[in-house]
Amino acid sequence: MVKREMKVTPYDVRGKIDYDRLINEFGLERITDNILKRIEKHAGEMHFMLRRKIFFAGRDLKWVLDEYEKGNKFFLYTGRGPSGPIHLGHLGTWIFAKWLQDKFGAELWFQFTDDEKFLLGKNESMEEVQKWMYENMLDIIALGFDPKKTYFLVDTKHAGMIYPEAIKVAKRITYSMVKSSFGFNESTNIGLIFFTSVQAVPAFLPSVLKKKKIPCLIPHAIDQDTHFRITRDILPKLGYRKPASIQNSFLTPLSGPEGKMSSSKSSGAILTTDSPKEVERKVKKYAFSGGQKTTKDHREKGGNPDVDVAYQWLNYFLEEDDRKLQEIYEKYESGEMLTSELKEILIDKINAFLKEHQKKREKAKKIVDDFIYK
Ligand code: TRP
């Protein structure tokens, strides 16, 4: 198969992702041991996603911790473009954001970019985007964010608050600045060309509302960095500090290590609403295996957990226990554990997680309104 060239922008992720290359190209800072220690000191524990380098890069983390230590607490900002159902790959950023909220007592501003997804969609009506937004809110609430400290911002609903700030950002951005970074061309609709100025706003909106400058930390998947490189260029010109960020890698798609997961390709993703049977079917049928072709070969040569998607998923968030994970690694690598056995472990883990998640997702229906900013 021809190797497809890597591309990582908010609107296009493809090829095999080379994270080292992205760190260089985007000019990101790797998360150093010193930063990890400081986070651990304040949190009282080390999150496994930090230890495993799922969150591996960022911007201005040193600064945001310096401020925190001076008593100047940061708020968190992240978001979701409601274009379809939530799959397991989306959850990593938010699980970690919830941990940051708990450990640092931080407010979380959560933006729903219904405008962006309407502008981006081929045929989706605004009604469909609104339906997905509601469904997505349930998944986010189910993760346990604190309703007293979490504010959902909906771009089209809170437009009266967002728009006056967005135009200040937009005035400083030219078409040539966004063209190549987002892959826009002469046929791109003008809404999308404007959009990055909307995504910039929550990074300083709390400062506007509270009339004081509050540090902002954005947990996000690395493809969103394009937006925030621009945001960081502009905010000092408006009198605000650049937002800091902490960035995660993608969960490898079920079907193999190219691109990022997508809900529209059922072979690649497991949805938060999938039934245990569906989970079993997808994992057995699609999960890319690092095992050998025959059992005999596998016993002799062993499997390769580093490319095995079931193993990658356990590592990403489904097996929090380092010792158990290490044991699986060794058994699979030595050939003692077969691919079918590894897949069974994953299926059980996903189904246990989803059973709880789906319960909380049902309960979330009663409290959605509490999360919407008023
Ligand atoms: N554009 C993002 C998406 O398509 C949604 C988003 C808005 C976001 N603000 C954010 C993501 C801040 C991470 C951080 O999903």
Side-chain angles (χ1 to χ4, degrees):
M1 207 173 75
V2 199
K3 255 194 156 173
R4 286 202 296 171
E5 216 211 315
M6 174 181 80
K7 202 162 166 202
V8 178
T9 77
Y11 302 122
D12 196 8
V13 175
R14 59 170 101 157
K16 180 154 172 28
I17 317 287
D18 178 342
Y19 290 103
D20 290 330
R21 214 181 101 192
L22 290 180
I23 286 182
N24 284 330
E25 279 177 17
F26 293 176
L28 297 172
E29 299 147 20
R30 216 177 271 284
I31 302 178
T32 60
D33 288 343
N34 184 41
I35 295 282
L36 287 181
K37 277 200 201 101
R38 290 175 74 187
I39 296 175
E40 182 178 17
K41 189 178 113 208
H42 295 298
E45 66 179 38
M46 175 78 110
H47 195 274
F48 69 93
M49 284 183 165
L50 287 172
R51 191 168 48 230
R52 295 180 190 171
K53 311 247 180 272
I54 308 293
F55 278 82
F56 67 105
R59 295 181 187 277
D60 270 344
L61 285 168
K62 184 179 168 303
W63 166 73
V64 94
L65 287 165
D66 286 346
E67 290 299 308
Y68 184 81
E69 283 163 13
K70 283 187 237 157
N72 190 14
K73 282 174 92 170
F74 56 86
F75 68 92
L76 296 161
Y77 159 40
T78 193
R80 159 73 186 158
S83 53
I86 298 300
H87 59 59
L88 296 186
H90 294 125
L91 300 180
T93 316
W94 305 332
I95 288 171
F96 183 67
K98 137 97 174 126
W99 179 82
L100 286 175
Q101 174 173 70
D102 287 351
K103 299 297 170 186
F104 289 83
E107 282 188 354
L108 167 64
W109 291 73
F110 200 110
Q111 180 179 42
F112 289 87
T113 55
D114 56 343
D115 52 347
E116 176 192 26
K117 294 299 150 163
F118 174 73
L119 291 164
L120 196 65
K122 289 192 186 69
N123 302 305
E124 288 91 337
S125 64
M126 198 55 182
E127 285 70 36
E128 280 169 273
V129 175
Q130 297 302 308
K131 182 198 110 189
W132 285 122
M133 183 165 68
Y134 174 75
E135 294 293 323
N136 293 177
M137 285 175 172
L138 301 180
D139 283 300
I140 289 153
I141 293 168
L143 295 175
F145 292 106
D146 179 350
K148 291 198 186 66
K149 284 194 168 153
T150 305
Y151 306 100
F152 286 1
L153 287 174
V154 176
D155 285 348
T156 61
K157 302 280 175 301
H158 296 96
M161 210 161 70
I162 295 171
Y163 191 70
E165 304 307 323
I167 56 173
K168 293 177 195 161
V169 180
K171 195 172 179 177
R172 309 268 183 171
I173 303 176
T174 64
Y175 179 51
S176 85
M177 284 163 75
V178 290
K179 192 163 92 180
S180 59
S181 14
F182 291 99
F184 294 157
N185 58 46
E186 303 297 315
S187 353
T188 306
N189 71 61
I190 60 173
L192 272 183
I193 294 165
F194 174 79
F195 173 73
T196 194
S197 50
V198 176
Q199 187 153 324
V201 171
F204 65 104
L205 189 64
S207 298
V208 174
L209 296 172
K210 291 180 189 152
K211 296 192 173 62
K212 62 172 189 202
K213 288 174 196 162
I214 316 168
C216 171
L217 172 61
I218 313 175
H220 67 81
I222 191 165
D223 60 329
Q224 297 296 310
D225 188 65
T226 318
H227 285 296
F228 300 122
R229 285 201 295 279
I230 295 174
T231 303
R232 284 170 54 86
D233 273 352
I234 309 296
L235 290 209
K237 299 178 185 162
L238 301 179
Y240 301 100
R241 270 299 304 238
K242 299 177 180 199
S245 69
I246 186 158
Q247 308 192 14
N248 64 278
S249 58
F250 304 117
L251 177 61
T252 311
L254 207 51
S255 50
E258 295 241 328
K260 75 167 179 178
M261 212 183 296
S262 156
S263 303
S264 51
K265 284 182 264 158
S266 71
S267 61
I270 286 179
L271 309 182
T272 57
T273 50
D274 279 348
S275 68
K277 276 263 154 294
E278 188 65 1
V279 169
E280 183 180 351
R281 187 187 72 83
K282 285 183 181 173
V283 171
K284 287 192 173 161
K285 183 159 177 202
Y286 299 117
F288 181 86
S289 162
Q292 305 293 343
K293 295 236 154 33
T294 65
T295 304
K296 185 170 170 288
D297 259 17
H298 191 87
R299 294 278 188 227
E300 276 167 21
K301 298 183 192 141
N304 181 357
D306 295 323
V307 301
D308 188 279
V309 170
Y311 181 80
Q312 297 310 316
W313 282 34
L314 291 171
N315 178 60
Y316 197 84
F317 79 103
L318 289 151
E319 179 53 79
E320 288 186 28
D321 186 330
D322 282 358
R323 271 196 321 228
K324 284 192 191 153
L325 195 68
Q326 182 62 24
E327 201 184 304
I328 293 170
Y329 191 99
E330 284 162 14
K331 283 190 177 164
Y332 192 65
E333 199 183 29
S334 72
E336 187 186 337
M337 183 183 284
L338 298 174
T339 297
S340 57
E341 293 165 333
L342 179 55
K343 285 192 177 188
E344 280 306 331
I345 297 177
L346 180 68
I347 291 165
D348 288 349
K349 279 283 174 187
I350 295 175
N351 282 335
F353 174 83
L354 287 184
K355 191 171 170 220
E356 282 309 303
H357 183 81
Q358 288 167 4
K359 267 193 234 156
K360 293 179 197 151
R361 202 178 178 282
E362 268 311 298
K363 286 198 189 135
K365 290 181 179 165
K366 296 199 191 72
I367 52 173
V368 176
D369 197 49
D370 298 346
F371 283 84
I372 313 254
Y373 179 81
K374 299 211 184 48

